[in-house]
């Protein structure tokens, strides 16, 4: 009686083919964030991280879409979607860089501190201890002030205007792909058609012979 080996009966499993690994690794993401945090443009940040410029911009575009459509505009640096996390981290890094740069310009406009002294004394009337801080600054650079004023919004918007713009963006996000594809003229026609259909449903025509 002959026996067969069980291992010979079972077919060999073919190794699974793995897809192309994503270039957006944690190391690459860290390089991109550090490059943008010091104020580099995104194209140069891509060069510093060793990825294609169009690739980095495409990642950011995908992340922005996820943030707007699925996260309701919330920047979540710990988002499970890698593109959304990259977009949030890069956006915050660029904003922090802008804050630091603006602070340096504001400091240059006020002038650097040359000396700082403190004087304490006792009030002869009340007997309270008082202190005074004296700061001597180097004259500020007027060009820094001019640069800062030149970039201030000459027409600041009210909160109501900002809210109206945000509401408009929210309506665009809620539109269907078909509604986004319609031109303003076709959108007007569609709105009028909807109003006509609504009136028709409210006041349907009488059936023939019932008048």
């Amino acid at each position: 009686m002959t026996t067969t080996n069980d291992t010979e009966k079972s077919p060999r499993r073919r190794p699974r083919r793995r897809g192309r690994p994503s270039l957006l690794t944690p190391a690459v993401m860290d390089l991109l964030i550090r490059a943008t945090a010091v104020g580099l443009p995104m194209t140069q940040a891509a060069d510093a991280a060793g990825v294609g410029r169009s690739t980095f911009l495409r990642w950011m575009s995908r992340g922005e879409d996820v943030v707007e459509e699925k996260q309701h505009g919330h920047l979540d640096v710990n988002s499970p979607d890698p593109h959304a996390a990259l977009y949030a981290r890069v956006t915050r890094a660029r904003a922090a860089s802008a804050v630091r740069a603006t602070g340096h310009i504001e400091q240059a406009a006020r002038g650097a501190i040359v000396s700082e002294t403190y004087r304490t004394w006792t009030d002869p009337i009340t007997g309270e201890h008082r202190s005074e801080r004296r700061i001597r600054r180097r004259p500020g650079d007027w060009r820094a002030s001019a640069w800062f004023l030149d970039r201030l919004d000459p027409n600041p918007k009210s909160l109501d205007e900002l809210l109206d713009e945000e509401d408009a963006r929210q309506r665009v996000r809620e539109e269907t792909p078909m509604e986004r594809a319609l031109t303003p003229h076709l959108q007007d026609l569609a709105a009028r058609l909807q109003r006509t259909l609504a009136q028709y449903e409210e006041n349907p025509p009488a059936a023939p012979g019932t008048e």
Side-chain angles (χ1 to χ4, degrees):
M1 182 176 179
T2 59
T3 59
T4 59
N5 193 347
D6 293 338
T7 58
E8 295 179 356
K9 291 182 179 180
S10 60
R12 294 182 179 179
R13 294 182 179 179
R14 296 181 180 179
R16 294 181 180 179
R17 294 183 178 180
R18 297 182 178 180
R20 183 179 179 181
S22 175
L23 297 177
L24 184 53
T25 62
V28 171
M29 184 181 295
D30 183 63
L31 289 174
L32 290 171
I33 295 168
R34 286 193 293 172
T36 53
V38 297
L40 284 180
M42 286 194 289
T43 53
Q44 294 183 2
D47 296 340
V51 297
R53 296 181 176 183
S54 60
T55 300
F56 181 30
L57 296 176
R58 194 179 303 113
W59 289 344
M60 291 291 291
S61 178
R62 291 177 182 175
E64 184 179 18
D65 291 342
V66 173
V67 169
E68 293 296 330
E69 296 174 4
K70 297 183 180 180
Q71 298 178 184
H72 308 290
H74 175 62
L75 295 176
D76 184 7
V77 297
N78 297 317
S79 174
D81 187 286
H83 299 101
L86 174 68
Y87 178 79
R89 294 178 184 181
V90 169
T91 301
R92 289 193 174 185
R94 289 168 62 86
S97 176
V99 169
R100 289 193 301 271
T102 304
H104 294 160
I105 294 169
E106 191 270 340
Q107 183 179 7
R110 289 189 295 114
I113 297 176
V114 177
S115 64
E116 184 176 3
T117 59
Y118 292 87
R119 184 174 70 93
T120 59
W121 74 94
T122 302
D123 192 319
I125 299 177
T126 61
E128 296 179 353
H129 296 284
R130 298 183 178 273
S131 61
E132 181 183 26
R133 178 190 179 194
R134 293 182 179 181
I135 299 177
R136 190 164 64 90
R137 295 180 178 273
R138 184 181 298 113
D141 189 347
W142 66 269
R143 291 170 296 184
S145 297
W147 186 94
F148 187 74
L149 291 174
D150 183 60
R151 281 156 178 78
L152 286 177
D153 189 358
N155 299 311
K157 298 179 181 180
S158 64
L159 290 177
D160 291 337
E161 292 174 329
L162 294 175
L163 288 174
D164 290 340
E165 292 181 356
E166 181 59 30
D167 290 341
R169 285 192 290 267
Q170 180 65 28
R171 286 194 296 270
V172 171
R173 288 196 291 265
E174 294 174 353
E175 288 180 351
T176 63
M178 179 62 69
E179 291 172 337
R180 296 194 193 100
L182 295 177
T183 62
H185 176 66
L186 293 178
Q187 289 179 359
D188 181 64
L189 290 177
R192 285 191 289 174
L193 177 60
Q194 289 179 353
R195 290 194 296 268
T196 303
L197 292 176
Q199 294 176 359
Y200 183 84
E201 292 175 356
E202 293 177 358
N203 302 307
T210 59
E211 295 181 355

